[in-house]
Amino acid sequence: MKECKKCKVEILDDTTVCPLCSSVLEISGEERESTGYPDVKAVSRKLNFIVRLYSFLAIVTEAALIIVNYLFFHGIWWSAITGISILYFYITLKYSLQKNKGYQTVILVQIIGAVLLVIAADNIVGYQGWSVNYVLPGAVLLLNVTIIILMIINASNWQSYILMQLLTAVVSLGCIILWRFGIITRPVLSFAALAVSMCMLLGTLIFGDRKAKAELQRRFHV
């Protein structure tokens, strides 16, 4: 019998993820009467209230910051950075927490949102290129490290992270394309990200063998 440690329920069918929170199920060590699905409506109502409260406070705060920025303007619209930051945290609440997405999706959303936030800040304060030269490939390397840790922790289901590896490989290739077009001017981290991403993906495909091929077939129906 499989059990979701997060929701504290037992699942009787052969699924590998929890139907409530999308967490990976674990094999239950003891047989006991199932507690059934918990009441998720109460949690949903609390999260909805938190999101609404945050939205109200965020709008009021950002409006005040825009006014202050306008009255004491010195060439930089720093209120745009605060607005983007507020939007990022709103997405975190609304998408990552309220929607109960799987942790892989949450990680990707958080990293992508953070990178876009930094790129926007770089452009607002006067574009210097540090966001694409360092932050973008650095985020790819961080995601690679995260994938390695997740594969070690969840060794029994390591093949489920192939899609994330493919994403890091594509993004790292995108960094090289940006370098070829002159957008990235310091490509050292970009090449490092590409090398790490490709080595990880290649190692997974070679050593994963049947499990890796089965996961690719399941994901892309090929």
Side-chain angles (χ1 to χ4, degrees):
M1 186 175 295
K2 298 178 181 178
E3 180 181 12
C4 177
K5 297 295 185 181
K6 182 177 180 181
C7 299
K8 307 298 182 184
V9 297
E10 292 181 342
I11 309 299
L12 301 179
D13 57 23
D14 58 352
T15 185
T16 59
V17 296
C18 176
L20 298 177
C21 66
S22 299
S23 297
V24 177
L25 298 176
E26 298 183 13
I27 303 299
S28 178
E30 57 182 5
E31 293 293 334
R32 62 177 183 270
E33 186 178 353
S34 177
T35 57
Y37 293 141
D39 180 15
V40 297
K41 291 185 178 180
V43 177
S44 179
R45 285 193 294 268
K46 290 180 181 179
L47 289 175
N48 283 332
F49 174 76
I50 293 174
V51 171
R52 291 192 182 99
L53 178 62
Y54 177 83
S55 300
F56 171 75
L57 294 176
I59 293 173
V60 173
T61 302
E62 180 60 20
L65 291 174
I66 292 175
I67 294 173
V68 172
N69 193 181
Y70 176 77
L71 294 176
F72 302 96
F73 182 71
H74 295 293
I76 297 178
W77 285 103
W78 51 262
S79 58
I81 299 177
T82 61
I84 297 172
S85 302
I86 289 173
L87 178 61
Y88 173 72
F89 287 111
Y90 173 80
I91 293 174
T92 300
L93 285 174
K94 185 71 176 178
Y95 185 81
S96 300
L97 298 181
Q98 192 180 34
K99 295 298 184 180
N100 291 321
K101 297 293 183 180
Y103 62 91
Q104 293 189 44
T105 304
V106 171
I107 291 172
L108 291 176
V109 169
Q110 295 298 101
I111 292 179
I112 292 172
V115 170
L116 293 177
L117 171 61
V118 172
I119 292 176
D122 187 11
N123 282 272
I124 291 170
V125 300
Y127 183 74
Q128 299 294 324
W130 52 267
S131 58
V132 292
N133 284 326
Y134 305 111
V135 176
L136 181 57
V140 175
L141 290 172
L142 176 61
L143 186 56
N144 281 321
V145 173
T146 303
I147 293 171
I148 293 174
I149 295 174
L150 291 174
M151 291 177 72
I152 294 173
I153 294 175
N154 191 20
S156 61
N157 195 32
W158 60 266
Q159 68 275 7
S160 64
Y161 303 104
I162 291 181
L163 194 61
M164 294 179 70
Q165 292 182 347
L166 287 172
L167 177 62
T168 59
V170 171
V171 175
S172 58
L173 283 173
C175 290
I176 302 303
I177 293 174
L178 292 177
W179 169 65
R180 295 294 297 174
F181 280 95
I183 298 175
I184 289 180
T185 56
R186 299 180 182 272
V188 176
L189 270 182
S190 297
F191 278 107
L194 178 63
V196 173
S197 299
M198 290 303 182
C199 286
M200 282 183 57
L201 181 59
L202 184 61
T204 299
L205 293 176
I206 292 176
F207 293 104
D209 197 21
R210 293 182 180 180
K211 282 189 175 182
K213 293 177 181 178
E215 181 67 14
L216 289 174
Q217 290 175 349
R218 186 178 73 85
R219 293 285 185 176
F220 299 103
H221 306 286
V222 294

